[in-house]
Amino acid sequence: MAFLYLQKSKASQTTGMKDEHQKNIPRHIAIIMDGNGRWAMKKGAMRIFGHKHAIKAVKDAIEGADSLGIEFLTLFSFSTENWSRPKEEVDALMELLVKTISDEVPLLMKKNIQLESIGDIDSLPPTAYKTLMDVKERTASNTGLKVILALSYSGQWELTHATKQIAQKVSEGKLKVEDITEKVMSEHLQTAAYPDPELMIRTSGEYRLSNFLLWQLAYTEMYFTPVLWPDFRREHLFAAISDYQSRERRFGKTGEQVKS
Ligand code: IPE
Ligand code: IPE
Ligand code: MG
C-alpha cells in the first residue's frame, strides 16, 4: 500500500492519504472475475453458490473503484464461450444478473454510477435483456464511475462484428479501404466511447485472457492474483493499483526516452 498514489480529494477522505500521493490512478480498470466455481467447490458447495458470493466482491470492487475516482470499470461477467456451460448454470447466472442489477439501482443512484454494457446483449434471455436496458436507462444521466458489464462478450466476436460493419460501409461507398486506420477500428468496437484500460486484473491464478478485450489490452498492464473472485475485496484492488504504479510503461520506447 505504500506506493498507492490516490487521486482526488474523494480518495483522501476515504483512505486518509495525503493529496500529494493522489496521482497516477488508472482511468480504466478491466477485471476478469474468475474462480467462483472453485471457491464453491472448496467449500463442498455447488458452483452457483460461488456465483452468489461473487456479488459481494463485485460491490466491493465497485465501491473501491468509486472511492479512488476511477472513471471506468469493465467487469467480464459472462463470455461468449460461457454459453457452453451446463444449462442450469447459465440459467442461474442470468437470474443472478437480473436480481443483482435490479437490487443495486438505489446504490448506483446514490453513488452517481452509470451502468453500461459491451457484448452481444441481443443474445441474452428476454428478462435479462429488458432489465439490463432498464437499469442502463435509469442510470444514463449519472456522471460518476461507469461500470461496464461485458455480457455475452468475446474479443473475437467484437472484432468480427466491427469488421462486418466496416466492410458494409466500404461496400456502400461510405468508407474507403485506404481510410481504414487503427482509429477507425477502435471506433467500431463496443468500447468506442471508452479509453483503453491501463490495468487488467485476473483473479484465481489463471494466466490467460480468455478472449477478453483482445484489441484494447494491447498496451495494458496485467496483474494476476491467486485470490478467487468471491474473496476479492477493495484491498485487493488497491494492491493491484499499487503494483501498477510501480511499473514503467514504455509503449515501445526506451526506458530513457520515457523518463526524460
Ligand atoms: C467466473 O468464475 C464466473 C464466470 C465465468 C461466469 P468461474 O465460474 O469460471 O469459476 P471457476 O473458474 O470454474 O473456478
Ligand atoms: C472468463 O472466465 C470469463 C469470465 C470471467 C466471465 P472463464 O472461467 O470462462 O475462462 P476459462 O474458460 O477458464 O479460460
Ligand atoms: Mg473460470
Side-chain angles (χ1 to χ4, degrees):
M1 288 300 290
F3 295 111
L4 183 60
Y5 299 127
L6 302 172
Q7 195 186 39
K8 299 178 185 171
S9 52
K10 197 173 166 191
S12 56
Q13 282 160 24
T14 333
T15 61
M17 287 234 171
K18 292 197 179 106
D19 277 348
E20 67 256 33
H21 290 155
Q22 296 175 16
K23 58 178 184 181
N24 198 19
I25 292 278
R27 289 184 70 197
H28 185 173
I29 298 180
I31 310 183
I32 303 180
M33 310 183 290
D34 199 13
N36 300 352
R38 276 163 286 165
W39 185 91
M41 271 139 76
K42 268 172 58 178
K43 294 192 156 30
M46 306 278 282
R47 294 176 55 82
I48 186 65
F49 184 67
H51 297 314
K52 285 191 177 141
H53 278 265
I55 305 308
K56 176 96 184 73
V58 173
K59 280 176 70 174
D60 215 68
I62 291 175
E63 288 183 352
D66 179 56
S67 74
L68 295 184
I70 285 160
E71 294 172 65
F72 306 91
L73 181 67
T74 298
L75 300 173
F76 203 6
S77 308
F78 192 86
S79 74
T80 307
E81 290 74 20
N82 289 149
W83 289 116
S84 318
R85 290 190 178 194
K87 186 178 178 312
E88 310 80 74
E89 182 168 344
V90 171
D91 290 348
L93 281 166
M94 291 301 147
E95 269 174 44
L96 205 55
L97 170 73
V98 170
K99 181 169 165 28
T100 309
I101 58 178
S102 22
D103 286 356
E104 297 308 331
V105 173
L107 180 77
L108 298 174
M109 298 313 287
K110 187 174 152 227
K111 299 230 167 227
N112 193 24
I113 295 171
Q114 195 181 353
L115 189 82
E116 301 205 344
S117 68
I118 54 172
D120 184 17
I121 59 164
D122 290 343
S123 66
L124 297 176
T127 319
Y129 177 84
K130 247 184 83 217
T131 311
L132 179 67
M133 295 306 276
D134 177 53
V135 178
K136 277 165 69 164
E137 212 177 287
R138 285 161 76 185
T139 61
S141 50
N142 288 350
T143 53
L145 171 69
K146 282 191 199 328
V147 173
I148 304 149
L149 299 182
L151 285 166
S152 191
Y153 172 87
S154 84
Q156 290 177 347
W157 168 81
E158 176 184 45
L159 288 165
T160 308
H161 185 70
T163 306
K164 282 184 187 162
Q165 288 182 325
I166 292 171
Q168 185 72 32
K169 287 187 185 169
V170 171
S171 76
E172 289 167 3
K174 291 180 183 155
L175 183 65
K176 293 199 198 104
V177 171
E178 55 272 30
D179 291 338
I180 302 173
T181 57
E182 282 93 334
K183 186 165 174 285
V184 170
M185 282 294 294
S186 297
E187 286 165 358
H188 286 82
L189 297 178
Q190 302 282 299
T191 51
Y194 320 125
D196 288 343
E198 292 93 337
L199 174 64
M200 195 286 291
I201 300 170
R202 183 171 189 148
T203 59
S204 87
E206 304 295 346
Y207 298 89
R208 55 178 174 266
L209 289 183
S210 303
N211 220 344
F212 189 43
L213 299 175
L214 297 179
W215 175 277
Q216 299 84 344
L217 297 181
Y219 265 104
T220 301
E221 296 296 327
M222 309 276 175
Y223 180 87
F224 297 96
T225 169
V227 173
L228 299 173
W229 179 254
D231 289 329
F232 193 90
R233 293 293 177 272
R234 69 189 73 191
E235 290 71 29
H236 301 110
L237 178 74
F238 297 161
I241 295 170
S242 176
D243 191 89
Y244 162 83
Q245 289 174 330
S246 70
R247 300 184 192 185
E248 180 180 76
R249 303 186 75 199
R250 301 202 188 105
F251 301 99
K253 296 182 178 173
T254 66
E256 289 67 34
Q257 281 178 300
V258 171
K259 277 181 202 80
S260 68

